[in-house]
Amino acid sequence: MYKRQVAFAAGWALVFAVAVSGRGIANDYRSLAHAARATLGPDDRLALYRNFVQGMVFYSGRRNIMIGPPGEMTFGSQQGEQSGWFWRDDAAWISREWAGPGRLLVLFNRKDLDRLRPLLVPPPIELASQDKKVLVANR
């Protein structure tokens, strides 16, 4: 009986430790969302490249455009006409949206930005970064 109680307590301690460390990860990019919010104008758009970052929508105060496969947002991407919010083709969004007349902020993993940088005209302007994430604007 005593062994079960110890195992039960150890299991809950492990769950608690994972939950606490996960909370830190979830809040990790709040500063990037605040940086986006501080610089976004009324007609500016905010996009997430190939990675849904939970806090960006909440802390930026904006609906985010998803670039690349929708991943966990697949169900939402299939509800009505959502093509303005889910951009799947790199060549299309770069030529149409990045190079277009509007201001666009994109949150990239740095390795993805480095890979796409030669295609991004005008060159990206770095607004903020943290760890592997970097927030850039087209103008």
Side-chain angles (χ1 to χ4, degrees), residues 24-132:
I25 292 168
N27 293 332
D28 203 34
Y29 299 115
R30 183 184 312 184
S31 64
L32 293 175
H34 287 298
R37 185 178 195 144
T39 191
L40 283 165
D43 296 326
D44 297 345
R45 296 162 299 155
L46 176 60
L48 307 175
Y49 186 81
R50 295 186 168 267
N51 195 357
F52 182 68
V53 178
Q54 295 283 339
M56 287 300 287
V57 173
F58 181 78
Y59 292 110
S60 71
R62 295 285 179 97
R63 182 173 179 188
N64 299 171
I65 298 162
M66 296 298 301
I67 302 174
E72 66 187 86
M73 303 297 291
T74 298
F75 179 78
S77 73
Q78 297 168 346
Q79 304 309 304
E81 173 51 43
Q82 299 295 326
S83 63
W85 298 103
F86 293 89
W87 303 342
R88 290 184 170 89
D89 182 84
D90 280 346
W93 78 264
I94 290 171
S95 65
R96 183 183 66 242
E97 307 296 342
W98 184 267
R103 187 160 183 251
L104 177 64
L105 279 66
V106 182
L107 182 66
F108 284 102
N109 283 333
R110 188 165 298 279
K111 65 180 172 89
D112 291 324
L113 176 60
D114 291 343
R115 179 177 52 82
L116 291 174
R117 190 180 300 274
L119 305 175
L120 298 175
V121 178
I125 301 164
E126 187 170 323
L127 303 174
S129 66
Q130 183 178 344
D131 302 326
K132 65 180 182 178

Side-chain angles (χ1 to χ4, degrees), residues 2-21:
Y2 177 72
K3 290 180 184 179
R4 286 185 188 167
Q5 290 172 336
V6 170
F8 183 75
W12 273 108
L14 180 63
V15 167
F16 180 74
V18 169
V20 168
S21 67

